[in-house]
Amino acid sequence: QVQFVESGGGLVQAGGSLSLSCAASGSTFSINAMGWYRQAPGKQRELVAAIRRVGSTKYADFVKGRFTISSDNAKNTVYLQMNNLKPEDTAVYYCNALGWTTGSPFGSWGQGTQVTVSS
């Protein structure tokens, strides 16, 4: 099993930036890709960005050009640099391992980290 611990959220004004980190532990050898998801109040959890061990990345349309995902495979850590934040980016952000083609997560969810963007 794989566990994740997210950090780096906070309160920021619209147009500001935040950087999130996620450390994976446990059976990390099973991970070929990791991703950041988010869940806003009253909405379903959605995939924001993902990265494969080989470095390929993909982004949801609503964050393209603003967010950047990166990873340190040696540390089993994935990062999310968020720039030009908008109030609609307000959500709890989670990371997880996922199937690259489906985007479906398969690890245990951590507590997430709250990101709040004020207008």
Side-chain angles (χ1 to χ4, degrees), residues 13-18 65-67 82-87 89 117:
Q13 288 188 331
S17 299
L18 282 174
R66 300 188 298 123
F67 291 11
M82 305 185 294
N83 298 328
N84 190 21
L85 282 160
K86 304 176 180 180
D89 294 318
V117 184

Side-chain angles (χ1 to χ4, degrees), residues 11-15 85-87 90 116-119:
L11 173 63
V12 65
Q13 288 188 331
L85 282 160
K86 304 176 180 180
T90 295
T116 304
V117 184
S118 63
S119 56

Side-chain angles (χ1 to χ4, degrees), residues 49-117:
I51 186 167
R52 300 176 74 177
R53 279 194 180 273
V54 295
S56 309
T57 59
K58 59 182 178 182
Y59 298 89
D61 287 343
F62 51 79
V63 302
K64 281 182 180 177
R66 300 188 298 123
F67 291 11
T68 302
I69 190 170
S70 60
S71 63
D72 184 333
N73 291 334
K75 295 182 179 179
N76 293 310
T77 299
V78 64
Y79 307 94
L80 187 68
Q81 177 64 41
M82 305 185 294
N83 298 328
N84 190 21
L85 282 160
K86 304 176 180 180
E88 51 264 44
D89 294 318
T90 295
V92 179
Y93 284 70
Y94 304 86
C95 69
N96 209 325
L98 72 157
W100 184 253
T101 302
T102 64
S104 298
F106 61 81
S108 300
W109 292 107
Q111 291 191 331
T113 185
Q114 176 71 48
V115 171
T116 304
V117 184

